[in-house]
Amino acid sequence: MSDEIIYELQLLWDSMVCGMILSVGYDVLRIFRRVCRQQKWSVGAQDVCYWLVCGILVFSLILRKNSGNIRWYHLAGIGMGAYLYFATISKLLVKYVSKFIQFLLSPLRFFGRQIKRLLKPLKNFIKMVRIRHKQKLNEKRQKRKNDKIKRQRLKDEMRKQHAEDKLSSKRGERDGKGKKEL
């Protein structure tokens, strides 16, 4: 075989290995999702990060091995490697590694549940204290608000009384002047 054909076969092999590595990476992500609860937004974020890493790895492989020239067999090799991995050991690996990790984590989960059970009364006490504190704050706010309204009413009454006093004193002066003239 010529050196060029051997080089192209080596590139195909490297592409297949790259596809298998990318598949193993996705299986690690799948195992993580089985072991730990995930929210929908975090699953999406993990997928985006995974595909970014995949793109960078594929680009670096093509750049390093073939000077950035994309050949169809690079993509075919990546696809074949991923297919071979998923068709052979992926399901078993994900299933048993997940179970093994869950087995290893079961004592931690047990102790976590016990600690959570022991801390529940403390959590309820803290919740009760918070509620009482909020009630007292609301009572103080309401009292301040009522006091402010009372002060405003008193000021309004005093202004009204003062205005009435002024008005009556002016009337008295007018009445007094009128009596003097007679």
Side-chain angles (χ1 to χ4, degrees):
M1 273 198 244
S2 73
D3 291 339
E4 285 184 29
I5 293 176
I6 292 174
Y7 180 73
E8 298 296 327
L9 288 174
Q10 182 64 38
L11 287 177
L12 179 65
W13 174 252
D14 290 344
S15 297
M16 290 176 68
V17 170
C18 181
M20 289 180 190
I21 290 171
L22 295 177
S23 300
V24 169
Y26 195 72
D27 275 352
V28 168
L29 197 57
R30 287 173 55 199
I31 291 167
F32 177 71
R33 289 177 184 168
R34 282 187 179 198
V35 173
C36 302
R37 291 183 195 150
Q38 303 290 315
Q39 294 180 357
K40 288 183 181 180
W41 67 268
S42 69
V43 171
Q46 291 167 3
D47 283 342
V48 167
C49 291
Y50 170 77
W51 286 109
L52 284 173
V53 169
C54 286
I56 291 169
L57 288 176
V58 169
F59 178 74
S60 66
L61 170 79
I62 292 172
L63 186 64
R64 210 173 348 113
K65 296 290 183 174
N66 205 21
S67 301
N69 294 326
I70 299 175
R71 307 274 187 202
W72 66 270
Y73 58 86
H74 285 298
L75 302 176
I78 291 170
M80 286 182 355
Y83 176 77
L84 286 174
Y85 173 77
F86 281 123
T88 55
I89 62 171
S90 176
K91 288 181 183 177
L92 295 174
L93 184 75
V94 170
K95 181 179 178 181
Y96 290 114
V97 170
S98 297
K99 285 184 178 184
F100 180 70
I101 291 174
Q102 287 174 344
F103 173 75
L104 291 177
L105 292 177
S106 61
L108 292 174
R109 287 187 177 156
F110 173 77
F111 287 121
R113 283 192 298 267
Q114 297 305 317
I115 290 171
K116 191 174 182 180
R117 187 177 59 91
L118 291 173
L119 292 178
K120 190 172 185 175
L122 179 63
K123 181 181 174 183
N124 291 337
F125 176 75
I126 291 171
K127 193 183 226 181
M128 184 179 65
V129 168
R130 278 184 169 167
I131 290 171
R132 286 186 182 168
H133 181 68
K134 284 182 181 180
Q135 287 174 345
K136 286 182 180 181
L137 285 176
N138 287 336
E139 288 172 3
K140 286 181 181 180
R141 286 183 189 138
Q142 189 63 39
K143 185 178 178 186
R144 276 190 243 130
K145 187 176 178 180
N146 290 340
D147 289 346
K148 186 177 180 181
I149 292 171
K150 285 180 184 177
R151 283 194 303 271
Q152 188 63 39
R153 285 183 185 162
L154 283 173
K155 284 181 184 178
D156 291 343
E157 286 177 15
M158 290 175 68
R159 284 184 191 139
K160 187 177 180 182
Q161 185 65 36
H162 184 67
E164 287 176 3
D165 288 346
K166 271 189 170 181
L167 187 63
S168 66
S169 66
K170 284 185 181 180
R171 282 186 194 156
E173 288 176 10
R174 269 191 289 156
D175 291 342
K177 286 182 184 176
K179 286 182 184 178
K180 288 182 183 178
E181 292 177 5
L182 289 175

